[in-house]
Amino acid sequence: MHKAYRAGSRGFPGEGILPCACGAKKAQTPRAVAREDVFIDVPENNVTEYIYDKIGANLHRKPEHPLCILKSAIMDYFDESYGEGNFTMFDDLCPVVSTYDNFDSVLVPEDHVSRSLNDTYYITSDTVLRCHTSAHQLGLLKQGETRFLVTGDVYRRDSIDATHFPVFHQMEGVRVFSKEETSKSDLTPHELASQELKNTLEGLARHLFGEVELRWVDAYFPFTNPSYELEIFFNGEWLEVLGCGVMEKRILRDATFAEEEAWAFGLGLERLAMVLFGIPDIRLFWTTDERFTKQFKPGMFRSGGVGMQKFKSYSKYPPCYKDVSFWLPNDSSFTENNLCEVVRATAGSLVEEVKLIDEFCNPKTDRVSNCYRITYRSMDRSLTDDEINALQESVRVSLVEEMGVTLR
């Protein structure tokens, strides 16, 4: 375990971080979230068995997993840049958080799309599976942490394709400047935070990708101002690496750092690992097939991939395409995210992509018909016709029962 680790607090009564069954006392032994903490009989609850089975997998804590290898490479960079132990590392914080933590504490507007049942996994109206590691930002600041990295699994209802998965992993970084630090600079505190942020993250990008061309793009995040995205020119195209910015003063005031300045950044580990290790499908991060797992070893990372063996595909099993056409219900309840949840609940990781291929509106009845193509493909074996036909029939039945569509 990294020397700079400290056990993360799981419950601050009245301070936004929700106590739950994974509230281990030591960082080395996080406990799984109990079923009764997730499956609660309320109308808002939209967590599925497929999602629950992913909670507690802790891929980012397994030394030989590519996500953990990348996490360690980033942690090493901060130790080298700021001195070992100057950034506290948290990677065992409970994924069940309050809606206050997940949204309000980081100033997400009340009408923001991410608050909807279509985008977020709700346990109750007041608790969710975290959508981002920023859900722990305010709680850690209130705890007195001023330099920290948080890594964890995050959950979002999303589309199905090779680069999207409802569970992925983020890394969050926060740095607060003391009044003593800002008083020694010729820059304003805001300018100092912005300048150091960019210098630090440009260094991180080069640490990961080698000597690459960089550019900053103005962005919007509710909890930072100004906000930026860092892009690199890599393998012939511009690639977004991370989002960041100078922390909004309101968050610092809420954390009793009213006179300080701070910066924050966040990045997706899968997105970067797919590029750095040459992993073609996001589902592979979840496989236990030794043909995948044995290709990764702690310490194998090399900046820019120089001298580092990339992932070698062991086989590309044939896909199976199945189309399903249906009339949408008369109300506005149908969404593509809900469709993807129904398909996932039936086919799990055997579904590679769900794609809208045709839409038709009957001019006489004004009813809308959609046709979706579902691509089934296992990452580990060939699928049989009988297996796929049974899955597709189950999907069709579930679409009628759960979404109110009329099959064509």
Side-chain angles (χ1 to χ4, degrees):
M1 177 166 287
H2 196 274
K3 292 180 182 178
Y5 271 101
R6 283 170 50 185
S9 177
R10 312 303 191 285
F12 300 98
E15 293 191 358
I17 294 183
L18 182 73
C20 71
C22 60
K25 295 298 183 183
K26 296 181 180 179
Q28 295 94 323
T29 55
R31 291 164 51 197
V33 178
R35 289 183 62 84
E36 56 266 27
D37 292 326
V38 174
F39 293 111
I40 298 174
D41 187 17
V42 294
E44 299 84 7
N45 190 290
N46 60 355
V47 182
T48 64
E49 289 282 353
Y50 182 73
I51 295 301
Y52 174 73
D53 287 343
K54 301 293 184 289
I55 300 174
N58 294 317
L59 303 183
H60 61 290
R61 293 172 55 89
K62 298 181 177 182
E64 296 188 351
H65 195 280
L67 296 180
C68 188
I69 294 168
L70 179 56
K71 176 193 75 173
S72 297
I74 296 171
M75 286 162 38
D76 288 343
Y77 168 77
F78 277 89
D79 275 350
E80 293 165 5
S81 300
Y82 287 90
E84 187 169 340
N86 273 292
F87 269 76
T88 307
M89 317 293 181
F90 297 89
D91 73 349
D92 66 336
L93 301 177
C94 184
V96 178
V97 300
S98 68
T99 53
Y100 174 83
D101 286 342
N102 200 67
F103 300 121
D104 301 285
S105 75
V106 285
L107 312 183
V108 175
E110 290 188 4
D111 60 352
H112 196 276
V113 64
S114 65
R115 289 182 181 256
S116 73
L117 289 167
N118 188 57
D119 285 65
T120 294
Y121 290 105
Y122 277 81
I123 295 172
T124 69
S125 60
D126 298 321
T127 57
V128 299
L129 294 177
R130 62 186 170 207
C131 300
H132 47 196
T133 48
S134 302
H136 303 291
Q137 191 177 101
L138 180 59
L140 290 173
L141 287 169
K142 285 186 174 183
Q143 186 178 315
E145 299 291 344
T146 57
R147 297 186 185 189
F148 56 88
L149 299 174
V150 178
T151 310
D153 43 334
V154 298
Y155 301 78
R156 295 182 192 174
R157 301 175 93 242
D158 210 340
S159 55
I160 299 176
D161 58 40
T163 61
H164 291 87
F165 202 75
V167 188
F168 58 104
H169 297 75
Q170 281 190 340
M171 198 165 194
E172 177 96 1
V174 170
R175 146 90 152 118
V176 179
F177 293 79
S178 67
K179 289 183 289 183
E180 181 181 3
E181 287 178 295
T182 55
S183 66
K184 294 178 180 178
S185 174
D186 293 332
L187 302 173
T188 68
H190 201 77
E191 291 170 339
L192 177 63
S194 182
Q195 183 182 87
E196 187 191 282
L197 170 69
K198 288 186 174 182
N199 290 341
T200 297
L201 297 181
E202 286 176 6
L204 174 60
R206 292 191 173 96
H207 175 72
L208 297 178
F209 293 93
E211 289 300 321
V212 290
E213 185 180 353
L214 308 167
R215 72 181 183 189
W216 289 99
V217 178
D218 290 337
Y220 165 76
F221 306 111
F223 37 85
T224 55
N225 185 25
S227 301
Y228 313 103
E229 289 176 347
L230 177 60
E231 297 182 349
I232 64 169
F233 195 71
F234 191 74
N235 290 340
E237 61 181 353
W238 286 101
L239 171 72
E240 178 192 332
V241 175
L242 52 81
C244 63
V246 178
M247 192 178 295
E248 283 281 6
K249 295 296 289 186
R250 177 179 161 186
I251 297 175
L252 289 168
R253 287 195 298 269
D254 289 345
T256 67
F257 287 112
E259 298 183 28
E260 284 79 10
E261 204 73 61
W263 54 247
F265 76 88
L267 55 83
L269 288 177
E270 277 89 346
R271 177 180 176 81
L272 299 186
M274 290 178 77
V275 175
L276 290 166
F277 293 105
I279 298 171
D281 194 304
I282 196 169
R283 292 176 297 163
L284 279 166
F285 290 107
W286 294 89
T287 186
T288 57
D289 193 311
E290 289 188 350
R291 291 172 293 178
F292 178 84
T293 59
K294 284 192 172 181
Q295 294 192 42
F296 300 94
K297 300 296 180 185
M300 69 177 286
F301 173 78
R302 297 291 182 272
S303 179
V306 177
M308 180 181 77
Q309 183 172 322
K310 297 289 187 83
F311 170 69
K312 293 182 179 179
S313 293
Y314 39 87
S315 182
K316 189 71 169 177
Y317 295 97
C320 181
Y321 303 103
K322 294 289 183 179
D323 294 349
V324 57
S325 299
F326 48 81
W327 296 105
L328 301 187
N330 292 324
D331 58 24
S332 58
S333 60
F334 176 86
T335 69
E336 188 169 298
N337 279 358
N338 287 338
L339 168 67
C340 289
E341 287 299 301
V342 169
V343 176
R344 279 195 191 98
T346 300
S349 294
L350 295 181
V351 60
E352 180 176 80
E353 184 177 45
V354 174
K355 185 177 181 179
L356 178 66
I357 60 171
D358 186 54
E359 187 169 54
F360 166 74
C361 182
N362 187 317
K364 294 182 179 180
T365 64
D366 208 31
R367 293 195 71 183
V368 176
S369 170
N370 282 178
C371 180
Y372 278 87
R373 177 156 295 161
I374 303 175
T375 304
Y376 297 96
R377 191 203 311 255
S378 170
M379 305 304 299
D380 307 319
R381 62 184 176 84
S382 292
L383 301 174
T384 67
D385 288 340
D386 288 345
E387 186 177 12
I388 294 302
N389 289 337
L391 287 174
Q392 182 70 2
E393 182 58 28
S394 293
V395 167
R396 289 168 60 87
V397 170
S398 296
L399 287 176
V400 173
E401 293 179 349
E402 298 180 33
M403 302 194 69
V405 305
T406 304
L407 296 176
R408 295 184 64 186

